[in-house]
Amino acid sequence: MSKSVPARADSMRRSNEELARVGQIHQLVRAHGRDVARDMVTSDEKALVDRVHAFLADEESSIGITYSGFCILSFPHRKLKSDDEVWVRSTGPFSLLIEPGAVAKGRKVVRLGVPYGSRARLIMLYLQTQALRTRSPEVEIGSSMHDWLDRMGVPIGGTSYKDVREQAARISRCKLSFQWSGENEDGVKWSGFENDSIVKGGMSFQIDHDKDPRQPRLWEDTVRLSESFYKALEAHPVPVWEPALRQISNQSAAIDVYIWLAYRLRVIDKPKTISWADLWQQFGPNYSRLRAFRENFLTTLKDVLAVYPEAKVEATEQGLKLFRSPPAVPERKVVPVLLPGASAR
């Protein structure tokens, strides 16, 4: 049974109080420090205090770069039912199609499946960031990628090593198509690419048995992004804040919402409400009911606001209302990374 109008309004009021509480916790941590702030909040809020403190205390000031298409649509959060399955998503004028790649094993052709989860997203962020930092589609994935993943809280060993190796293989073999019709709803012209790979050639891991087997290295010293993907990235990069990503690095849904807000909030000219139905279509393919998606989305949004406190949003009965906000990355940090003539959109 659906909620009555007064009940829905009361639910949205409580949700906005919880979202506003994240900003209040930021102020408490800034004013009093972590330990005192923990004593001033409820037991349910102590973990949020810890996350806010870790974000504020992070001395790294690096930025990451992602292609604007991934700010709108991205990989699945979980492994698809079959490695043969194609991933298709659409929202507004945008659509994404990912076809799983394959490898030959003897006389058999084995599908590797579509990339998924937080590890795939972090690998992609590294590849895109390094490509623009070096101004080249050729990206080093040896010790540099190992160190970057370690900084993001992903130690390359044990189960984590297996996960990274699997997602790297899926990324290197899949084919992507980003398609669109006209300008986006903010009036931004957008360029995509169709039916091409992300990486040319493979991207495989192996254990270096001459060293500590718990510290694997990468087979290749470098990989090369496909020409079409690199050009799309070069034309439409979006900066994101590595200290923020570090705190949500194990949450694929939070990564997607953070990147989306980092893209949308800096380009909208006036307040805009995105309906819950549209958000469900964009972010909630795993949910069978809108109500369940909305509740989980708002929980994820709290985690995102902990690392993007400048984001101005409001939950309404109709959807999520977005307001123009300060960028997720300080502007002075962005200029040295973007290519001359590139638009951070």
PDB file of all heavy atoms in Angstrom, residues 49-74:
ATOM      1  N   VAL A  49      30.625  10.507  11.657  1.00  0.00           N
ATOM      2  CA  VAL A  49      31.659  11.397  12.193  1.00  0.00           C
ATOM      3  C   VAL A  49      33.042  10.905  11.771  1.00  0.00           C
ATOM      4  O   VAL A  49      33.899  11.690  11.348  1.00  0.00           O
ATOM      5  CB  VAL A  49      31.571  11.464  13.734  1.00  0.00           C
ATOM      6  CG1 VAL A  49      32.812  12.154  14.312  1.00  0.00           C
ATOM      7  CG2 VAL A  49      30.319  12.223  14.154  1.00  0.00           C
ATOM      8  N   ASP A  50      33.247   9.584  11.870  1.00  0.00           N
ATOM      9  CA  ASP A  50      34.547   9.020  11.487  1.00  0.00           C
ATOM     10  C   ASP A  50      34.845   9.270  10.010  1.00  0.00           C
ATOM     11  O   ASP A  50      35.979   9.589   9.636  1.00  0.00           O
ATOM     12  CB  ASP A  50      34.565   7.516  11.768  1.00  0.00           C
ATOM     13  CG  ASP A  50      34.531   7.198  13.258  1.00  0.00           C
ATOM     14  OD1 ASP A  50      34.840   8.093  14.058  1.00  0.00           O
ATOM     15  OD2 ASP A  50      34.170   6.056  13.608  1.00  0.00           O
ATOM     16  N   ARG A  51      33.828   9.110   9.165  1.00  0.00           N
ATOM     17  CA  ARG A  51      34.038   9.321   7.726  1.00  0.00           C
ATOM     18  C   ARG A  51      34.329  10.781   7.435  1.00  0.00           C
ATOM     19  O   ARG A  51      35.234  11.102   6.640  1.00  0.00           O
ATOM     20  CB  ARG A  51      32.811   8.847   6.940  1.00  0.00           C
ATOM     21  CG  ARG A  51      32.848   9.209   5.469  1.00  0.00           C
ATOM     22  CD  ARG A  51      31.816   8.464   4.663  1.00  0.00           C
ATOM     23  NE  ARG A  51      32.186   7.056   4.523  1.00  0.00           N
ATOM     24  CZ  ARG A  51      31.486   6.167   3.823  1.00  0.00           C
ATOM     25  NH1 ARG A  51      30.382   6.544   3.198  1.00  0.00           N
ATOM     26  NH2 ARG A  51      31.867   4.924   3.734  1.00  0.00           N
ATOM     27  N   VAL A  52      33.573  11.674   8.030  1.00  0.00           N
ATOM     28  CA  VAL A  52      33.796  13.107   7.820  1.00  0.00           C
ATOM     29  C   VAL A  52      35.196  13.496   8.296  1.00  0.00           C
ATOM     30  O   VAL A  52      35.921  14.231   7.610  1.00  0.00           O
ATOM     31  CB  VAL A  52      32.721  13.937   8.560  1.00  0.00           C
ATOM     32  CG1 VAL A  52      33.112  15.419   8.588  1.00  0.00           C
ATOM     33  CG2 VAL A  52      31.368  13.766   7.890  1.00  0.00           C
ATOM     34  N   HIS A  53      35.598  12.980   9.452  1.00  0.00           N
ATOM     35  CA  HIS A  53      36.936  13.290   9.975  1.00  0.00           C
ATOM     36  C   HIS A  53      38.022  12.782   9.032  1.00  0.00           C
ATOM     37  O   HIS A  53      39.000  13.488   8.756  1.00  0.00           O
ATOM     38  CB  HIS A  53      37.114  12.674  11.360  1.00  0.00           C
ATOM     39  CG  HIS A  53      38.508  12.832  11.902  1.00  0.00           C
ATOM     40  ND1 HIS A  53      39.480  11.854  11.773  1.00  0.00           N
ATOM     41  CD2 HIS A  53      39.104  13.876  12.541  1.00  0.00           C
ATOM     42  CE1 HIS A  53      40.592  12.275  12.317  1.00  0.00           C
ATOM     43  NE2 HIS A  53      40.405  13.489  12.793  1.00  0.00           N
ATOM     44  N   ALA A  54      37.870  11.554   8.543  1.00  0.00           N
ATOM     45  CA  ALA A  54      38.865  10.993   7.626  1.00  0.00           C
ATOM     46  C   ALA A  54      38.962  11.823   6.357  1.00  0.00           C
ATOM     47  O   ALA A  54      40.057  12.062   5.828  1.00  0.00           O
ATOM     48  CB  ALA A  54      38.515   9.541   7.294  1.00  0.00           C
ATOM     49  N   PHE A  55      37.825  12.299   5.864  1.00  0.00           N
ATOM     50  CA  PHE A  55      37.810  13.129   4.660  1.00  0.00           C
ATOM     51  C   PHE A  55      38.508  14.458   4.920  1.00  0.00           C
ATOM     52  O   PHE A  55      39.359  14.898   4.131  1.00  0.00           O
ATOM     53  CB  PHE A  55      36.369  13.368   4.205  1.00  0.00           C
ATOM     54  CG  PHE A  55      36.220  14.416   3.141  1.00  0.00           C
ATOM     55  CD1 PHE A  55      36.706  14.204   1.864  1.00  0.00           C
ATOM     56  CD2 PHE A  55      35.596  15.623   3.422  1.00  0.00           C
ATOM     57  CE1 PHE A  55      36.574  15.173   0.873  1.00  0.00           C
ATOM     58  CE2 PHE A  55      35.454  16.600   2.449  1.00  0.00           C
ATOM     59  CZ  PHE A  55      35.949  16.373   1.176  1.00  0.00           C
ATOM     60  N   LEU A  56      38.176  15.114   6.028  1.00  0.00           N
ATOM     61  CA  LEU A  56      38.754  16.419   6.336  1.00  0.00           C
ATOM     62  C   LEU A  56      40.237  16.328   6.668  1.00  0.00           C
ATOM     63  O   LEU A  56      40.997  17.258   6.407  1.00  0.00           O
ATOM     64  CB  LEU A  56      38.001  17.060   7.501  1.00  0.00           C
ATOM     65  CG  LEU A  56      36.541  17.447   7.229  1.00  0.00           C
ATOM     66  CD1 LEU A  56      35.883  17.953   8.509  1.00  0.00           C
ATOM     67  CD2 LEU A  56      36.437  18.488   6.125  1.00  0.00           C
ATOM     68  N   ALA A  57      40.647  15.193   7.235  1.00  0.00           N
ATOM     69  CA  ALA A  57      42.045  15.027   7.643  1.00  0.00           C
ATOM     70  C   ALA A  57      42.946  14.555   6.514  1.00  0.00           C
ATOM     71  O   ALA A  57      44.168  14.521   6.659  1.00  0.00           O
ATOM     72  CB  ALA A  57      42.131  14.044   8.808  1.00  0.00           C
ATOM     73  N   ASP A  58      42.348  14.183   5.387  1.00  0.00           N
ATOM     74  CA  ASP A  58      43.122  13.665   4.259  1.00  0.00           C
ATOM     75  C   ASP A  58      43.995  14.781   3.693  1.00  0.00           C
ATOM     76  O   ASP A  58      43.489  15.815   3.252  1.00  0.00           O
ATOM     77  CB  ASP A  58      42.173  13.140   3.182  1.00  0.00           C
ATOM     78  CG  ASP A  58      42.862  12.230   2.186  1.00  0.00           C
ATOM     79  OD1 ASP A  58      44.025  12.521   1.830  1.00  0.00           O
ATOM     80  OD2 ASP A  58      42.249  11.232   1.756  1.00  0.00           O
ATOM     81  N   GLU A  59      45.292  14.577   3.704  1.00  0.00           N
ATOM     82  CA  GLU A  59      46.229  15.611   3.246  1.00  0.00           C
ATOM     83  C   GLU A  59      46.519  15.529   1.754  1.00  0.00           C
ATOM     84  O   GLU A  59      47.197  16.396   1.205  1.00  0.00           O
ATOM     85  CB  GLU A  59      47.532  15.514   4.045  1.00  0.00           C
ATOM     86  CG  GLU A  59      47.347  15.807   5.528  1.00  0.00           C
ATOM     87  CD  GLU A  59      48.646  15.748   6.302  1.00  0.00           C
ATOM     88  OE1 GLU A  59      49.673  15.365   5.702  1.00  0.00           O
ATOM     89  OE2 GLU A  59      48.638  16.087   7.497  1.00  0.00           O
ATOM     90  N   GLU A  60      46.046  14.476   1.098  1.00  0.00           N
ATOM     91  CA  GLU A  60      46.221  14.377  -0.351  1.00  0.00           C
ATOM     92  C   GLU A  60      45.338  15.425  -1.027  1.00  0.00           C
ATOM     93  O   GLU A  60      44.232  15.705  -0.572  1.00  0.00           O
ATOM     94  CB  GLU A  60      45.827  12.987  -0.843  1.00  0.00           C
ATOM     95  CG  GLU A  60      46.808  11.899  -0.473  1.00  0.00           C
ATOM     96  CD  GLU A  60      48.065  11.923  -1.339  1.00  0.00           C
ATOM     97  OE1 GLU A  60      48.002  12.487  -2.444  1.00  0.00           O
ATOM     98  OE2 GLU A  60      49.083  11.394  -0.897  1.00  0.00           O
ATOM     99  N   SER A  61      45.810  15.985  -2.092  1.00  0.00           N
ATOM    100  CA  SER A  61      45.016  16.995  -2.796  1.00  0.00           C
ATOM    101  C   SER A  61      44.942  16.692  -4.290  1.00  0.00           C
ATOM    102  O   SER A  61      44.793  17.588  -5.107  1.00  0.00           O
ATOM    103  CB  SER A  61      45.606  18.390  -2.577  1.00  0.00           C
ATOM    104  OG  SER A  61      46.946  18.444  -3.053  1.00  0.00           O
ATOM    105  N   SER A  62      45.052  15.416  -4.627  1.00  0.00           N
ATOM    106  CA  SER A  62      45.036  15.032  -6.036  1.00  0.00           C
ATOM    107  C   SER A  62      43.604  15.009  -6.565  1.00  0.00           C
ATOM    108  O   SER A  62      42.642  14.808  -5.818  1.00  0.00           O
ATOM    109  CB  SER A  62      45.672  13.650  -6.213  1.00  0.00           C
ATOM    110  OG  SER A  62      47.014  13.653  -5.785  1.00  0.00           O
ATOM    111  N   ILE A  63      43.493  15.174  -7.862  1.00  0.00           N
ATOM    112  CA  ILE A  63      42.180  15.057  -8.478  1.00  0.00           C
ATOM    113  C   ILE A  63      42.180  13.883  -9.443  1.00  0.00           C
ATOM    114  O   ILE A  63      43.223  13.438  -9.916  1.00  0.00           O
ATOM    115  CB  ILE A  63      41.753  16.348  -9.212  1.00  0.00           C
ATOM    116  CG1 ILE A  63      42.513  16.494 -10.535  1.00  0.00           C
ATOM    117  CG2 ILE A  63      41.930  17.562  -8.349  1.00  0.00           C
ATOM    118  CD1 ILE A  63      41.944  17.560 -11.433  1.00  0.00           C
ATOM    119  N   GLY A  64      40.996  13.368  -9.686  1.00  0.00           N
ATOM    120  CA  GLY A  64      40.810  12.336 -10.684  1.00  0.00           C
ATOM    121  C   GLY A  64      40.010  12.902 -11.844  1.00  0.00           C
ATOM    122  O   GLY A  64      39.422  13.985 -11.730  1.00  0.00           O
ATOM    123  N   ILE A  65      39.987  12.181 -12.930  1.00  0.00           N
ATOM    124  CA  ILE A  65      39.264  12.617 -14.122  1.00  0.00           C
ATOM    125  C   ILE A  65      38.408  11.466 -14.633  1.00  0.00           C
ATOM    126  O   ILE A  65      38.853  10.315 -14.672  1.00  0.00           O
ATOM    127  CB  ILE A  65      40.218  13.054 -15.250  1.00  0.00           C
ATOM    128  CG1 ILE A  65      41.086  14.245 -14.813  1.00  0.00           C
ATOM    129  CG2 ILE A  65      39.445  13.396 -16.519  1.00  0.00           C
ATOM    130  CD1 ILE A  65      40.315  15.530 -14.605  1.00  0.00           C
ATOM    131  N   THR A  66      37.179  11.784 -15.017  1.00  0.00           N
ATOM    132  CA  THR A  66      36.328  10.786 -15.658  1.00  0.00           C
ATOM    133  C   THR A  66      35.654  11.398 -16.873  1.00  0.00           C
ATOM    134  O   THR A  66      35.466  12.617 -16.953  1.00  0.00           O
ATOM    135  CB  THR A  66      35.272  10.242 -14.683  1.00  0.00           C
ATOM    136  OG1 THR A  66      34.555   9.162 -15.311  1.00  0.00           O
ATOM    137  CG2 THR A  66      34.267  11.318 -14.280  1.00  0.00           C
ATOM    138  N   TYR A  67      35.326  10.572 -17.817  1.00  0.00           N
ATOM    139  CA  TYR A  67      34.583  10.994 -19.011  1.00  0.00           C
ATOM    140  C   TYR A  67      33.158  11.336 -18.586  1.00  0.00           C
ATOM    141  O   TYR A  67      32.554  10.638 -17.766  1.00  0.00           O
ATOM    142  CB  TYR A  67      34.603   9.854 -20.018  1.00  0.00           C
ATOM    143  CG  TYR A  67      33.680  10.001 -21.194  1.00  0.00           C
ATOM    144  CD1 TYR A  67      33.684  11.141 -21.979  1.00  0.00           C
ATOM    145  CD2 TYR A  67      32.800   8.976 -21.535  1.00  0.00           C
ATOM    146  CE1 TYR A  67      32.838  11.267 -23.060  1.00  0.00           C
ATOM    147  CE2 TYR A  67      31.958   9.079 -22.617  1.00  0.00           C
ATOM    148  CZ  TYR A  67      31.971  10.234 -23.379  1.00  0.00           C
ATOM    149  OH  TYR A  67      31.124  10.353 -24.451  1.00  0.00           O
ATOM    150  N   SER A  68      32.600  12.405 -19.140  1.00  0.00           N
ATOM    151  CA  SER A  68      31.281  12.879 -18.711  1.00  0.00           C
ATOM    152  C   SER A  68      30.193  11.826 -18.901  1.00  0.00           C
ATOM    153  O   SER A  68      29.209  11.809 -18.154  1.00  0.00           O
ATOM    154  CB  SER A  68      30.902  14.157 -19.468  1.00  0.00           C
ATOM    155  OG  SER A  68      30.868  13.922 -20.868  1.00  0.00           O
ATOM    156  N   GLY A  69      30.365  10.937 -19.868  1.00  0.00           N
ATOM    157  CA  GLY A  69      29.362   9.889 -20.058  1.00  0.00           C
ATOM    158  C   GLY A  69      29.202   9.012 -18.836  1.00  0.00           C
ATOM    159  O   GLY A  69      28.088   8.589 -18.487  1.00  0.00           O
ATOM    160  N   PHE A  70      30.316   8.735 -18.125  1.00  0.00           N
ATOM    161  CA  PHE A  70      30.259   7.906 -16.926  1.00  0.00           C
ATOM    162  C   PHE A  70      29.642   8.648 -15.745  1.00  0.00           C
ATOM    163  O   PHE A  70      29.380   8.042 -14.703  1.00  0.00           O
ATOM    164  CB  PHE A  70      31.655   7.406 -16.550  1.00  0.00           C
ATOM    165  CG  PHE A  70      32.150   6.305 -17.435  1.00  0.00           C
ATOM    166  CD1 PHE A  70      33.368   6.413 -18.093  1.00  0.00           C
ATOM    167  CD2 PHE A  70      31.410   5.150 -17.623  1.00  0.00           C
ATOM    168  CE1 PHE A  70      33.830   5.399 -18.917  1.00  0.00           C
ATOM    169  CE2 PHE A  70      31.858   4.126 -18.442  1.00  0.00           C
ATOM    170  CZ  PHE A  70      33.076   4.250 -19.096  1.00  0.00           C
ATOM    171  N   CYS A  71      29.424   9.950 -15.881  1.00  0.00           N
ATOM    172  CA  CYS A  71      28.713  10.702 -14.842  1.00  0.00           C
ATOM    173  C   CYS A  71      27.214  10.469 -14.931  1.00  0.00           C
ATOM    174  O   CYS A  71      26.476  10.798 -13.994  1.00  0.00           O
ATOM    175  CB  CYS A  71      28.989  12.199 -14.983  1.00  0.00           C
ATOM    176  SG  CYS A  71      30.717  12.655 -14.818  1.00  0.00           S
ATOM    177  N   ILE A  72      26.771   9.933 -16.036  1.00  0.00           N
ATOM    178  CA  ILE A  72      25.342   9.756 -16.270  1.00  0.00           C
ATOM    179  C   ILE A  72      24.950   8.290 -16.218  1.00  0.00           C
ATOM    180  O   ILE A  72      23.961   7.912 -15.584  1.00  0.00           O
ATOM    181  CB  ILE A  72      24.963  10.377 -17.639  1.00  0.00           C
ATOM    182  CG1 ILE A  72      25.339  11.857 -17.646  1.00  0.00           C
ATOM    183  CG2 ILE A  72      23.479  10.190 -17.929  1.00  0.00           C
ATOM    184  CD1 ILE A  72      25.339  12.488 -19.009  1.00  0.00           C
ATOM    185  N   LEU A  73      25.734   7.454 -16.857  1.00  0.00           N
ATOM    186  CA  LEU A  73      25.473   6.024 -16.889  1.00  0.00           C
ATOM    187  C   LEU A  73      26.786   5.279 -16.695  1.00  0.00           C
ATOM    188  O   LEU A  73      27.825   5.715 -17.176  1.00  0.00           O
ATOM    189  CB  LEU A  73      24.838   5.616 -18.224  1.00  0.00           C
ATOM    190  CG  LEU A  73      23.448   6.197 -18.526  1.00  0.00           C
ATOM    191  CD1 LEU A  73      23.086   5.991 -19.984  1.00  0.00           C
ATOM    192  CD2 LEU A  73      22.392   5.577 -17.618  1.00  0.00           C
ATOM    193  N   SER A  74      26.736   4.147 -16.011  1.00  0.00           N
ATOM    194  CA  SER A  74      27.978   3.444 -15.720  1.00  0.00           C
ATOM    195  C   SER A  74      27.770   1.938 -15.710  1.00  0.00           C
ATOM    196  O   SER A  74      26.725   1.429 -16.117  1.00  0.00           O
ATOM    197  CB  SER A  74      28.546   3.913 -14.372  1.00  0.00           C
ATOM    198  OG  SER A  74      29.856   3.427 -14.167  1.00  0.00           O
TER     199      SER A  74
END
